[in-house]
Amino acid sequence: MMKLDKIVSADAAIALIRDGDSVSCSGFIGIGTPEVLIEALERRFLETQAPRDLSLVFAAAPGDAKERGLNRLAHRGLVKRAIGGHWSLVPKLAALATDNLIEAYNLPLGTISHLYRDVAAHRAGTLSKVGLGTFVDPRHGGGKINALTTEELVRVMLIDGEEWLFYKTFPVNVALIRGTTADASGNVTMEREALVLDAQAAAMAARNANGLVIVQVERIAATGSLDARSVVVPGVLVDCVVLAPQGSHVQTYGTDYSAAFSGEIRVPTDKFVPPPLDERKIIARRCAFELPLGGVINLGIGVPEVVAAVAAEERVLEDLTLTAEPGVIGGMPQGGLDFGAAVNVQALLHQNQQFDFYDGGGLDLACLGMAEIDRAGNVNVSRFGPRLAGAGGFINISQNARRLVFAGTFTAGGLEVSVHDGKVHIDVEGRTRKFVHAVEQITFSGGQAAAKGQSVHYVTERCVFRLQPEGLQLIEVAPGIDVERDILAHMAFRPLIGVVATMDARIYRPKSMGLAAVLQDLQLSDRLSYDTERNTLFVNFEGMAIRDMADVESVRRVFEAMCSQIGRKVNVIVNYDGFKLDERLIEPYDEIVAALRAKYYATARRYSTSAFLRAKLGSTLQSRQASARVFETHADAAEFERSRPHLVKVVG
């Protein structure tokens, strides 16, 4: 059987696109953006006025905020409709949308990623809770950008009494994607790409619609020479392969090529230059106090990017798993025009898989930017009059992270801040208020978050707010800041004000904050809960890891502080489910526990679902003649307590 050679010129491939086609384009800023194909499409239109009336579909905006990427296609007549997740990097295309010259939608980036899969599978659409209460909710606009756009792509569905959003699928006739190497049969690998994105899903969507898949690559291999396990897009999905001219296939818009971005090498994280102590670092430092050691985290664009640098400077980066929405797991995400790439990654997922993880609550913490905030805790980062930024992955991430921190300066436009003598000084106040009566567009719904009990903080250089069911509450103020003069005078509403703490002084000093010990103590404190009526201290060690002597010392410090404050011996119940104890630390850890028991405990009951840990800890503690038992379940521990009338009862 004769095999076709799929290698063609860019112009020959683009000539196959017809009027009215729906064209999806890969790319996360410049990563995975098929620039040669986009240039050829623009060139054909300018020379022939064809093809016309295309519908463009993109998840993350393939563009550089100036001329490159989909900005090249912002010509009247070429584009009729655009469905995009992120728009700020394609301002020329966004101008067509805001000027009411094309039909345009802004849908969540992750949802568009999922729609590619549903289009490929010929499903009716994507069912999700992502977007409820935001501008994507049809009761708040349905993601439509202008008056010209009338078709409803999103509707509310009630299933078993719960509200869901149903995102309708749309046709994908052409997929423009990018890879590293292809053979003449169209098999594509991505070994030098920083991300794999949704290339496979988009190609499958177009292929299953009897459409066209065009891939741009930087090199051609002999047929049959590619490792099958390295092929990301199989040749059965590909119609045309275009070899990019040398120098036109850059890895990102900021970097021609980095071996660290493609995972060929790992780089030392201790060589990064610490950022200066300005307002961005101040905010990032306060946000860093919320980092969950051992947790999975997403950091957004802007000030949140600095949190990674602070974590590296404070030597806690290795205790965190940072992620980025296009598929990065672990390592250190990059910023600017390299955003989306990362160094020292642990794994690289397809973008739609990453959003499966995010949407399902996989993030322990997300730290995101904020532009407008109102008294209900709503946040707008997507639309400001004629300026269309788009939601990107913001809605998916903010709505589903277990804990959420918004980060940004208190005001904008000319703000000048200095730090000296351990205090914040507002040298020049910003011209624009960010805390407003009502946000222009709801990208994050404070009401939805409060209703489900999501932990949400809003961190600025001068104060911190927390989301309560009644709205925003001022909880911390920086040293040197006057509440009336520097905060309330620049807000369009008065927040809830109760007990207001002073922000940690270490944030405003140039030397290291000693963050590792701070986080260990803070997070260990969060694991302790004292029931005064029953004189019982509940300790949740679930998933906790004791890795070094600093962790052991943290246990001693936190328990001593809590028990000293209680002022009498307490009954202790500990959850050891998923607890990890380094073999080298069994002896010193046991000595600490024995000392605490002798001084502060009336009784101690422990439980775990790990039989191995029960045996190990139980025998160790018994060898010290400690009055201790390790139970398999919480119910067993509680029943034991109830069976001993001289001990307190366990509830929960």
Side-chain angles (χ1 to χ4, degrees), residues 84-120:
H86 192 58
W87 286 78
S88 67
L89 296 168
V90 287
K92 290 190 173 184
L93 190 64
L96 293 181
T98 55
D99 289 346
N100 215 34
L101 298 174
I102 61 172
E103 298 173 28
Y105 298 85
N106 181 199
L107 302 182
L109 190 160
T111 305
I112 294 178
S113 287
H114 292 153
L115 278 164
Y116 283 141
R117 297 190 310 203
D118 289 329
V119 171

Side-chain angles (χ1 to χ4, degrees), residues 1 32 88 131 145 257 313 334 411 416 422 434 472 559 568 630 650:
M1 179 177 167
S88 67
I145 291 173
Y257 183 73
E313 181 183 358
Q334 302 299 288
T411 59
E416 294 182 15
K434 297 174 75 170
L472 234 55
F559 270 79
R568 57 175 173 164
V630 180
V650 181

Side-chain angles (χ1 to χ4, degrees), residues 165-187:
L165 292 183
F166 180 78
Y167 293 84
K168 180 180 169 184
T169 52
F170 38 73
V172 175
N173 308 118
V174 180
L176 304 180
I177 62 175
R178 196 179 94 168
T180 299
T181 308
D183 62 18
S185 296
N187 296 300

Side-chain angles (χ1 to χ4, degrees), residues 191-233:
E191 63 273 17
R192 285 169 58 88
E193 302 295 319
L195 301 166
V196 296
L197 299 173
D198 294 314
Q200 184 187 88
M204 197 174 293
R207 172 64 177 79
N208 284 357
N210 294 318
L212 178 68
V213 178
I214 307 173
V215 57
Q216 172 188 317
V217 297
E218 64 173 309
R219 56 195 186 189
I220 302 295
T223 299
S225 66
L226 298 177
D227 179 358
R229 293 179 183 272
S230 298
V231 172
V232 178
V233 182

Side-chain angles (χ1 to χ4, degrees), residues 528-562:
L528 307 186
S529 175
Y530 178 59
D531 187 323
T532 306
E533 182 180 345
R534 296 171 175 81
N535 188 34
T536 299
L537 181 62
F538 294 95
V539 183
N540 182 16
F541 276 173
E542 182 177 0
M544 181 174 163
I546 300 293
R547 294 156 296 192
D548 52 35
M549 278 305 298
D551 293 344
V552 176
E553 277 300 305
S554 180
V555 171
R556 181 190 60 77
R557 284 195 306 270
V558 171
F559 270 79
E560 284 191 341
M562 172 68 83

Side-chain angles (χ1 to χ4, degrees), residues 24-292:
S24 76
C25 185
S26 70
F28 194 97
I29 311 178
I31 302 172
T33 300
E35 197 75 23
V36 173
L37 304 182
I38 297 170
E39 287 178 353
L41 179 54
E42 180 190 31
R43 183 166 58 249
R44 179 186 167 196
F45 178 77
L46 293 178
E47 292 175 356
T48 69
Q49 291 298 294
R52 301 185 64 83
D53 298 330
L54 300 181
S55 292
L56 295 182
V57 182
F58 53 95
D64 64 350
K66 296 177 182 177
E67 304 292 334
R68 289 182 286 186
L70 293 185
N71 291 294
R72 299 182 186 277
L73 305 186
H75 299 290
R76 296 183 65 176
L78 174 59
V79 179
K80 180 181 179 181
R81 169 184 282 200
I83 302 172
H86 192 58
W87 286 78
S88 67
L89 296 168
V90 287
K92 290 190 173 184
L93 190 64
L96 293 181
T98 55
D99 289 346
N100 215 34
L101 298 174
I102 61 172
E103 298 173 28
Y105 298 85
N106 181 199
L107 302 182
L109 190 160
T111 305
I112 294 178
S113 287
H114 292 153
L115 278 164
Y116 283 141
R117 297 190 310 203
D118 289 329
V119 171
H122 288 187
R123 298 188 183 101
T126 298
L127 196 62
S128 175
K129 286 185 177 290
V130 171
L132 283 169
T134 73
F135 73 90
V136 179
D137 190 314
R139 294 163 294 195
H140 301 288
K144 296 188 291 290
I145 291 173
N146 57 33
L148 183 66
T149 308
T150 58
E151 183 183 357
E152 298 291 346
L153 294 185
V154 189
R155 69 174 183 263
V156 178
M157 295 184 66
L158 203 63
I159 302 177
D160 294 336
E162 289 188 40
E163 286 188 343
W164 295 76
L165 292 183
F166 180 78
Y167 293 84
K168 180 180 169 184
T169 52
F170 38 73
V172 175
N173 308 118
V174 180
L176 304 180
I177 62 175
R178 196 179 94 168
T180 299
T181 308
D183 62 18
S185 296
N187 296 300
V188 179
T189 61
M190 294 189 171
E191 63 273 17
R192 285 169 58 88
E193 302 295 319
L195 301 166
V196 296
L197 299 173
D198 294 314
Q200 184 187 88
M204 197 174 293
R207 172 64 177 79
N208 284 357
N210 294 318
L212 178 68
V213 178
I214 307 173
V215 57
Q216 172 188 317
V217 297
E218 64 173 309
R219 56 195 186 189
I220 302 295
T223 299
S225 66
L226 298 177
D227 179 358
R229 293 179 183 272
S230 298
V231 172
V232 178
V233 182
V236 294
L237 303 181
V238 175
D239 296 287
C240 301
V241 174
V242 174
L243 179 61
Q246 191 167 1
S248 61
H249 192 100
V250 296
Q251 195 176 39
T252 80
Y253 283 145
T255 303
D256 286 352
Y257 183 73
S258 166
F261 291 176
S262 62
E264 291 180 64
I265 62 171
R266 295 179 67 84
V267 296
T269 57
D270 59 353
K271 302 301 181 185
F272 292 111
V273 178
L277 189 61
D278 57 11
E279 63 272 16
R280 288 165 58 87
K281 185 172 182 177
I282 289 170
I283 298 167
R285 278 183 152 192
R286 174 57 186 86
C287 292
F289 277 79
E290 303 297 323
L291 292 171

Side-chain angles (χ1 to χ4, degrees), residues 42 57 299 329 443 473 633 643:
E42 180 190 31
V57 182
L299 301 177
I329 301 287
T443 328
Q473 179 184 8
T633 67
S643 70

